[in-house]
Amino acid sequence: MKVLLMGHPNVGKSVFFNRLTGSNAIESNYPGTTVDYTKGYMLLENKDVEVIDVPGIFSLEPKDRAEEVSVKMLEEEKDAIVVCVFDASKIERGLYLALEIIEKGYPVIIALNMWDVATDKNIAIDVKNLEKILGVPVIATTAISGEGIAEVVSRIGEASPVKIRNIIKNAGD
Ligand SMILES: Nc1nc2c(ncn2[C@@H]2O[C@H](COP(=O)(O)OP(=O)(O)OP(=O)(O)O)[C@@H](O)[C@H]2O)c(=O)[nH]1
Ligand SMILES: [Mg+2]
């Protein structure tokens, strides 16, 4: 089992990654490309679990080489748990990608990162309701301060595959 950190460019994935893995990061080059990515390890239930800081992508329909690599990394890790990192101040953008990943059958956990920025902009997000509709754990995080990271770690085990039709049904209720 691996943990993939995925999300749009510039949402704080790498700061998040450093919080999860500490100082054991390994810089790698994706074979046959010029695309670099970072992997490391985090302790989960007393086991060392590999974490990959996947290059930022907007959707699973790749528009360039880096995005192609991100999609390949996801496809190669069929039993991965995906932590979708959002910019909490631009939540609907993150949702599209998260739904694509959920649709592929991956267990997903959502980190609403940049929570400090959203709070400063008076953006109110009903985290518990979002969690209820999506059926996946949703946690407010501020990677630069570390807020919420421990909760993400403690709830990774709750991530499990969800059917899109159930999300649509929950959204209608
Ligand atoms: N205010 C605030 N800034 C953050 C937070 N997380 C990350 N940042 C800042 O946002 C910028 C982007 O962070 P990165 O971790 O490099 O973002 P990324 O998603 O890895 O970006 P790419 O690798 O380019 O896709 C940096 O300046 C971080 O210090 C957060 O929770 N709050
Ligand atoms: Mg990064």
Side-chain angles (χ1 to χ4, degrees):
M1 194 263 277
K2 290 182 188 175
V3 172
L4 302 188
L5 280 185
M6 296 186 73
H8 285 196
N10 222 33
V11 296
K13 296 180 299 300
S14 295
V15 178
F16 203 98
F17 172 87
N18 290 332
R19 290 270 172 200
L20 290 180
T21 60
S23 54
N24 59 30
I26 307 152
E27 193 72 42
S28 302
N29 172 256
Y30 192 81
T33 71
T34 57
V35 179
D36 292 326
Y37 68 96
T38 312
K39 64 182 182 180
Y41 291 87
M42 68 184 282
L43 207 56
L44 213 56
E45 287 160 8
N46 288 320
K47 286 193 202 94
D48 263 334
V49 173
E50 191 175 320
V51 186
I52 302 177
D53 184 7
V54 177
I57 47 166
F58 292 100
S59 85
L60 296 186
E61 289 114 60
K63 301 280 188 287
D64 58 38
R65 287 298 281 156
E67 291 198 350
E68 261 171 42
V69 166
S70 302
V71 173
K72 277 201 186 123
M73 287 172 128
L74 179 68
E75 283 169 354
E76 278 164 11
E77 304 297 344
K78 295 283 181 220
D79 64 349
I81 291 178
V82 180
V83 178
C84 284
V85 184
F86 287 27
D87 176 342
S89 70
K90 296 168 188 151
I91 199 166
E92 51 314 316
R93 299 193 192 171
L95 270 175
Y96 181 78
L97 177 64
L99 288 171
E100 284 189 307
I101 297 170
I102 289 170
E103 195 172 27
K104 290 214 177 277
Y106 289 89
V108 162
I109 171 164
I110 293 172
L112 300 179
N113 197 45
M114 307 259 184
W115 189 257
D116 57 330
V117 176
T119 304
D120 285 348
K121 290 185 179 166
N122 291 315
I123 297 170
I125 300 166
D126 188 339
V127 177
K128 283 292 150 212
N129 197 33
L130 194 57
E131 185 167 289
K132 220 170 101 191
I133 292 168
L134 296 174
V136 309
V138 181
I139 295 132
T141 67
T142 299
I144 48 166
S145 71
E147 184 204 334
I149 303 289
E151 190 182 348
V152 170
V153 174
S154 73
R155 297 187 66 194
I156 281 181
E158 285 177 40
S160 61
V162 173
K163 296 264 181 273
I164 293 289
R165 65 169 176 276
N166 290 341
I167 296 176
I168 294 166
K169 183 180 164 290
N170 294 340
D173 286 346

